[in-house]
Amino acid sequence: MSAAGSLLAAVPAAAVLLLTVATRPRGVDAVAPLRLAVVRATLLTGAYAVLVVELLGALHALTRPAFVAAWLLFLTAAATAAGLRWRQVTRLAQPAAAAPRPVAVGATVAAGTDPETSAPPADGGEAGRDPAPRRVDRTLAGLLGRAVDTWHTAGRGERLLAGTVGGLVLLELLVALLAEPNNFDSQTYHLPKVEHWVAQGDLDFWATAIHRQVTIPPGAEYLLLHLRLLTGGDQLHNLVQWAAGVACLLVTARITAQLGGGRRAQLITAFVLASTPMVVLQATSTQTDLVCAAWVACAATLVLDGLRRRTGWGTLLALGAATGLTAVTKTSGLIAVGPLLVLWGLAQLRLALTGDRAPADATAVGGVRRPRPTGAVARTVGGSALILLVAATVVGPFLARVTVEFGHPLGPPRLRESIPMERHDPPSILVNALRIGHTAFDTPLAPLRRVGAEAIIGGADLIGVDPQDRAITFGREVFPEPAWYPDEDRVAYPIAGALALIGVAVALVRPRRIDPGQAGPMRGYAVVVLATVLLHTAMIKWQPWGNRLLLYALVLAVPLAGLWLDALFRRQFGAAADRPGTDRGRRSVATVAAVSVLATSALAGVLALSYGFPRRLVGSGSVFTTSDWDTRFLRRPQWADEFRWAAAAVHGSGARRIGLVEQNDNWEYPWWLLLRQPDGRSPDLVALQSVLPERPPADPTSVDAIVCTGSQPACAKLVPNGWRLEFRGYVGYALPPGR
């Protein structure tokens, strides 16, 4: 990657930082305002990135100059907005030191917390303003000063939590920068999808034997496309998921604050999520699950803001962007966004009908100002329509292309029937849910896994359900499948999952034990989490790598785990303080167990980062000792030399137009790297098979060479008579006479 490419890649990050300054909320009652600004900036940048791809794709202008111009324009706009906002903030901050800062009546701040980490006031609002707003120093010096104060007032436990989270994030960044993309699905369709767009300069579908290259939503790949064109390569591709992981940590911590959690609860939430092996491994990958989870989390935190206040137009636009970005990244994420929007709509209707935060058009009845219900309800309905309109703007172009190509917005029957459940009777859903839970909570204890699987299989037989039924099982997979080992596609999360499950249960049954003042919002949020999990198990078939598909639900649930653990510690420490005659070193069994679980979670995260697969810090395959090319093939090391062997033969023949022969799950991406033209331009690769009815494959006689992966007989059928076919294991090539 050139120096120019590095500078250009920094432009999107710089734009996010500038927009964070520009979109920081003006009101003083916003919960964790800096994190809210990060959410707004991230959504705005993400929506812009997607729309730029769609617009330039429609203009057949997916080129580096066009993307550079688009980002420089965006950076200029962000800098202008940030400059205007900064001047405004600076003016407001001038008298801050001269007068004490009043605290709004009814606002409660936990001891040892600051405005960035405190729980929300009971009557916080977006539409209204406090009569005597407190002034907060929001200059850079003020932010740094509050950060230093926060660190000084933190206890040893809080510092340990924060240090662990920070250490994991920094080490993940190191791995993401050092490791070449080597995710299996990325070799098959994530990264080839990006290369096809670059090669053809637009988003039109192409003939391919791998339907996922065109049918799976491309939101995460749109973000990769920006990096690909700005840098000219894939060296920074892992940073998309790393950034999504950081966003998940920030947003889940804010959700915890919105539900009443103080600084310690927020740190526990971030700690549990950051140390989850699936999160650790995905944060250095080119998968798409963390990106989806980040968009879902953004939607969740905006929805929680709408439980106590009427939602303004800016937040409506942000909710629409979060919904659209979720849909264009991974459709399954809508399983969570749907219930979240229902919760938001019900809360907005309640506020409209009860008159909370009465708007300007309220009428006086008996001396009390009440809003006009009809107008307030109409505003809520209009806001809902705006959310859907913005979401459709983001995801609509892709769905339109899919509908034109396959006659259905969800793609061909092959896609619609492979992942979604085909049976929805209660016994089948129950068996599917039990199998998903068994895989998600898997541990290294083989006897426990075996006993659990036997119980599920036996119970399925008793209620008349085949546990291997293809209608509730993906492909030809067979339940059970071990999932405890640290692999980015399969690793289970028994610790985080169990803590989240307990947190959801307590929030549903006894939310006042966590926080009496937040019982309503907490229970409503827990209902959404529970509904999300139930809908997922009723709609998505069991599969060995289903744990990563459920990651968005885990991210949604972890704040409840943080709140429950913090309440547990608070009760125990408070009880010890109230009994000075007792031994304060003693803690209840539950507290000791909770601390032990958190320590085990930290160990699991460190081990996943150190020895995880296919990217690790130490041992065989370490990012420090493995070559770039071998890193790409850690999943299949025997293929590394085979691809090079075939590519060298094709290069030596002088072939320009090269035909591809492959099956649905074969690796295509290495060809885009090895067959790139001497000047760096994309190779001319065309498929000799196609699963798209309207996209016929190329004629084998029209190409100068053929490269094959997978099946030698399938390749031989497409090689013209008289051509020489060579095969070595997984890879082969064919050349015409004389080459």
Side-chain angles (χ1 to χ4, degrees):
M1 181 174 59
S2 65
S6 301
L7 291 175
L8 290 173
V11 171
V16 171
L17 292 176
L18 290 169
L19 287 174
T20 299
V21 174
T23 60
R24 190 178 174 100
R26 291 179 171 82
V28 297
D29 56 355
V31 181
L34 182 58
R35 277 171 274 170
L36 176 57
V38 172
V39 169
R40 292 172 173 177
T42 302
L43 289 172
L44 181 57
T45 304
Y48 178 80
V50 169
L51 294 177
V52 163
V53 172
E54 291 289 357
L55 177 60
L56 295 180
L59 298 174
H60 304 281
L62 297 180
T63 63
R64 189 183 195 192
F67 273 66
V68 169
W71 278 110
L72 291 179
L73 177 64
F74 189 66
L75 182 65
T76 301
T80 302
L84 293 174
R85 184 65 197 284
W86 189 258
R87 285 197 294 271
Q88 182 184 58
V89 168
T90 304
R91 287 198 304 269
L92 292 175
Q94 293 302 322
R101 184 176 64 189
V103 178
V105 177
T108 59
V109 180
T113 64
D114 60 24
E116 173 63 22
T117 58
S118 61
D123 61 347
E126 176 176 298
R129 297 278 161 68
D130 290 324
R134 63 190 181 190
R135 296 184 183 275
V136 179
D137 186 359
R138 294 177 178 174
T139 63
L140 181 59
L143 293 175
L144 292 176
R146 288 207 301 276
V148 171
D149 290 342
T150 299
W151 180 260
H152 286 162
T153 58
R156 284 179 296 178
E158 293 176 340
R159 292 182 182 181
L160 181 61
L161 291 171
T164 303
V165 172
L168 286 171
V169 169
L170 290 176
L171 286 175
E172 289 163 6
L173 175 61
L174 178 65
V175 175
L177 290 172
L178 293 178
E180 303 295 319
N182 61 0
N183 172 262
F184 194 102
D185 285 347
S186 296
Q187 307 288 345
T188 300
Y189 69 97
H190 290 310
L191 300 186
K193 188 184 299 188
V194 174
E195 295 300 325
H196 276 286
W197 294 331
V198 174
Q200 62 191 34
D202 57 41
L203 299 174
D204 291 345
F205 291 161
W206 53 89
T208 179
I210 303 173
H211 76 87
R212 291 176 294 173
Q213 291 183 358
V214 296
T215 57
I216 299 292
E221 291 89 341
Y222 281 174
L223 304 181
L224 293 177
L225 175 62
H226 286 272
L227 288 178
R228 168 66 175 85
L229 288 173
L230 292 176
T231 66
D234 61 9
Q235 295 90 338
L236 301 182
H237 278 8
N238 292 330
L239 293 186
V240 171
Q241 281 262 108
W242 177 83
V246 173
C248 286
L249 296 178
L250 293 174
V251 178
T252 52
R254 182 173 192 262
I255 291 173
T256 306
Q258 289 172 289
L259 294 174
R263 183 170 62 202
R264 184 175 60 195
Q266 297 170 52
L267 286 172
I268 293 173
T269 295
F271 177 88
V272 171
L273 186 61
S275 59
T276 301
M278 177 64 78
V279 174
V280 170
L281 294 170
Q282 288 247 346
T284 63
S285 170
T286 47
Q287 265 292 6
T288 62
D289 304 285
L290 268 181
V291 178
C292 174
W295 300 137
V296 171
C298 288
T301 194
L302 294 174
V303 163
L304 287 177
D305 278 339
L307 298 188
R308 288 187 176 86
R309 67 195 68 171
R310 298 301 304 278
T311 301
W313 295 110
T315 303
L316 290 173
L317 294 173
L319 269 173
T323 304
L325 288 168
T326 301
V328 81
T329 301
K330 214 173 187 69
T331 310
S332 57
L334 294 178
I335 295 174
V337 175
L340 283 168
L341 291 180
V342 170
L343 177 64
W344 172 85
L346 293 175
Q348 291 294 294
L349 286 175
R350 177 185 64 81
L351 293 173
L353 296 175
T354 58
D356 290 6
R357 287 289 193 183
D361 64 346
T363 56
V365 179
V368 179
R369 295 183 65 80
R370 303 284 187 187
R372 294 194 181 104
T374 303
V377 171
R379 177 183 171 184
T380 301
V381 173
S384 303
L386 179 60
I387 292 173
L388 296 178
L389 178 62
V390 174
T393 302
V394 175
V395 72
F398 168 71
L399 293 181
R401 288 194 299 275
V402 173
T403 303
V404 170
E405 190 73 29
F406 301 104
H408 195 286
L410 298 181
R414 180 177 185 176
L415 177 64
R416 302 199 303 271
E417 297 170 2
S418 61
I419 298 178
M421 287 275 284
E422 298 176 76
R423 291 180 56 178
H424 297 91
D425 54 289
S428 296
I429 294 175
L430 175 61
V431 171
N432 192 54
L434 291 174
R435 294 182 306 166
I436 290 175
H438 181 274
T439 304
F441 289 88
D442 192 20
T443 70
L445 303 176
L448 181 62
R449 181 188 315 115
R450 183 175 62 255
V451 170
E454 290 174 353
I456 293 173
I457 293 173
D461 291 337
L462 287 177
I463 60 178
V465 177
D466 178 5
Q468 314 300 346
D469 185 356
R470 297 302 101 189
I472 61 174
T473 305
F474 180 85
R476 300 178 181 178
E477 305 301 326
V478 177
F479 174 83
E481 184 74 23
W484 63 267
Y485 51 93
D487 183 291
E488 65 174 356
D489 288 333
R490 297 171 182 254
V491 64
Y493 27 80
I495 296 176
L499 293 175
L501 190 63
I502 295 173
V504 170
V506 175
L508 283 172
V509 179
R510 304 186 70 179
R512 294 185 180 278
R513 286 183 63 84
I514 298 177
D515 188 339
Q518 298 287 332
M522 195 178 303
R523 180 173 282 149
Y525 185 78
V527 168
V528 167
V529 174
L530 180 61
T532 297
V533 174
L534 294 178
L535 287 172
H536 184 98
T537 58
M539 298 174 67
I540 306 296
K541 294 178 179 178
W542 174 87
Q543 47 197 284
W545 44 89
N547 289 340
R548 66 178 181 81
L549 301 183
L550 196 57
L551 185 58
Y552 71 95
L554 178 70
V555 170
L556 208 62
V558 162
L560 296 175
L563 289 163
W564 169 70
L565 285 170
D566 179 65
L568 176 65
F569 294 140
R570 188 170 62 246
R571 287 196 301 272
Q572 296 303 320
F573 296 156
D578 292 339
R579 297 192 300 271
T582 62
D583 182 3
R584 295 191 182 186
R586 295 180 179 178
R587 296 291 182 259
S588 70
V589 173
T591 303
V592 173
V595 172
S596 301
V597 167
L598 290 179
T600 305
S601 180
L603 179 62
V606 171
L607 290 177
L609 189 58
S610 301
Y611 297 99
F613 195 73
R615 291 165 303 280
R616 57 178 52 170
L617 285 171
V618 297
S620 176
S622 166
V623 294
F624 297 113
T625 60
T626 309
S627 68
D628 294 348
W629 187 251
D630 289 336
T631 299
R632 296 181 185 275
F633 286 86
L634 284 174
R635 285 281 187 191
R636 299 292 187 271
Q638 68 274 20
W639 294 351
D641 291 336
E642 295 175 5
F643 270 98
R644 276 181 162 169
W645 161 76
V650 172
H651 268 306
S653 71
R656 294 291 183 181
R657 181 176 166 87
I658 303 165
L660 282 173
V661 179
E662 55 196 3
Q663 287 74 59
N664 183 57
D665 206 30
N666 289 174
W667 285 20
E668 180 183 311
Y669 185 59
W671 297 127
W672 290 97
L673 298 175
L674 290 168
L675 299 177
R676 191 166 291 179
Q677 298 184 26
D679 59 0
R681 288 186 295 119
S682 300
D684 186 8
L685 294 177
V686 295
L688 302 185
Q689 310 138 289
S690 180
V691 294
L692 278 66
E694 303 300 323
R695 309 281 172 173
D699 186 343
T701 62
S702 69
V703 300
D704 303 323
I706 297 174
V707 291
C708 310
T709 52
S711 170
Q712 181 175 356
C715 182
K717 290 180 181 179
L718 293 170
V719 173
N721 291 330
W723 284 40
R724 175 170 55 93
L725 174 61
E726 300 284 346
F727 230 90
R728 183 182 292 179
Y730 178 77
V731 177
Y733 70 90
L735 296 173
R739 286 186 179 268

